[in-house]
Amino acid sequence: MTAPKYHLTSYGCQMNKLDSELVESRLRQRGYVAAASETDADVVLINTCSVRQHAEDRVWSKLGKLRIRKRGEPQLVVGVLGCMAQEHKRYLVSRMPHVDLVVGPSAFGDIDDTVEKARAKNQQLATGRDPARTKHEVVGAGVVAVDQGVSGDLIRRDVRVRPHRSQAFVSVMRGCNMPCTYCIVPTTRGDEVSRPIADIVEEAQRLCDDGVTEITLLGQTVNAYGRDLTGQGATLARLLRELHGIPALRRLAFITSHPNFLSAELVDAIAELPKVARYLHLPAQSGSNPVLKAMRRGYTVERYLARIEQLRQKAPDVELHSDFIVGYPGETAADFDQTVAFLRTVGFAQSYVFKYSPRPGTIAAELPDDVPDAEKERRNAVLLAAQEELTLAKNRALVGTTAEVLVEGDSKVAGRFSGRTAHHRLVHFAATDRELFGQYVPVRVTEALAHSCVGELLAHDAAQEGRADPAEAQRA
Ligand code: 5AD
Ligand code: SF4
């Protein structure tokens, strides 16, 4: 019998991408193989995101197409995973009979069992047998496993399943306890749950034993890590110090931080630990105090600036990245102008800008969405242009300097590779030796672009990169 084939599409944040890796690793352990394309798959899974309407719309439209496909292929298994599964479980179960699995973000640990049950049920349906007589749980649309409280992190991770050989994400906490009025994440992902330091260090060690040299720690408010582990003294700073001791590890990053938890202890760790990435993703969301207050972010512009001042004094080389929401209910043109001024004052190296999207069930969704879409669009474009100007200026300042680049893979331009510096800057350079993927190489920056730099690869000592004699490597 040929192995069943799955296809998994992932939307949304890094946390979702990591969850998708976990799902894939469960399916592969169960004998499934990745399909060459979605049309070729026996099991189609979508790991979804609810943070903005646009992300959800893409999934609804995909589900519409799968409904048509399934008319001709009744044995096809369709699964909705992640935040939309959590948020829309009732609708999916009652109104979308072609969806077999609805699996919330905390129930991925036994996803392989859930998929197997759905396959068995669909095969029986396709052969005209009554699935109700099987011992499988059949609820509404099919086999449903919503939020059974099984955290994926409780499952020992198969470190071999990951997209990059040198880079890996490690989840250090799930959920979010913050009261941001616009955000659906606390609803879909639940309360903060931190993993014990020892578990994280053990997973990181196994990843490094398998060739990983760059780890990015993930949490919705990653610098609040540990506050639910009372009495254990677990903080992000302590975790960074422990992980820093793994000899094979060369870079250690963490996303996403909340301004309220940028403690002096964390600033010291960032300043003192050379392996810690030289960027901090510290979303401000707005540069206007009334808007920050309405969003219940828990800080003012002045407090944000004071916090980063401490960081800049101790670790002046660390660059700041932000997220901004434009067109929050009640945001005036003057509020927005303050956000533009704030972005320039801080001098962010990179920002993601989002048009406010009301999420049903959040506090902000009760307010009138009173900034017209055309105006949101204008603010979005203005803020992005201001950021591009800043990024370009920073990139220009790098021309002529040399940076250590971790090579990630082919660039979009043929004959070029791309990688990132310790500051998370994207650098493209001409190269052909694919043995360089996953290696750290010196690149001299020759040209600055709005979102990246172009550079030239300098000769380097490959032996130092954990690779023996280059001639040997070429023969191999
Ligand atoms: N509308 C627009 N952007 C949002 N974000 C979160 N919720 C919303 C929303 N309702 C943005 C925030 C957050 C990022 C991940 O998504 O900027 O930092
Ligand atoms: Fe959402 Fe705020 Fe939590 Fe970030 S900190 S995930 S914006 S509630």
Side-chain angles (χ1 to χ4, degrees), residues 10 23 37 39 43 245:
S10 203
V23 168
S37 68
T39 43
V43 176

Side-chain angles (χ1 to χ4, degrees), residues 48-60 83-84 87-88 180-188 325 328-329 354-367 369 376:
T48 59
C49 170
S50 289
V51 83
R52 280 171 293 276
Q53 188 61 43
H54 179 64
E56 292 203 344
D57 288 345
R58 284 158 76 190
V59 173
W60 294 127
C83 289
M84 280 176 76
E87 194 53 17
H88 300 291
C180 308
T181 50
Y182 51 82
C183 188
I184 196 72
V185 169
T187 316
T188 57
I325 296 176
Y328 184 79
F354 304 106
K355 291 188 286 176
Y356 169 68
S357 164
R359 309 314 300 132
T362 60
I363 294 170
E366 304 298 314
L367 305 169
D369 183 12
K376 282 185 189 165

Side-chain angles (χ1 to χ4, degrees), residues 405 409-413 415-421 425-431 443-447 449 451-457:
V405 171
D410 287 309
S411 135
K412 281 190 197 122
V413 179
R416 276 188 188 171
F417 293 168
S418 302
R420 290 196 185 261
T421 67
R425 277 172 195 282
L426 189 59
V427 181
H428 311 286
F429 57 94
V443 175
R444 184 170 33 236
V445 178
T446 54
E447 191 189 342
L449 306 173
H451 298 281
S452 59
C453 295
V454 180
E456 59 188 16
L457 178 64

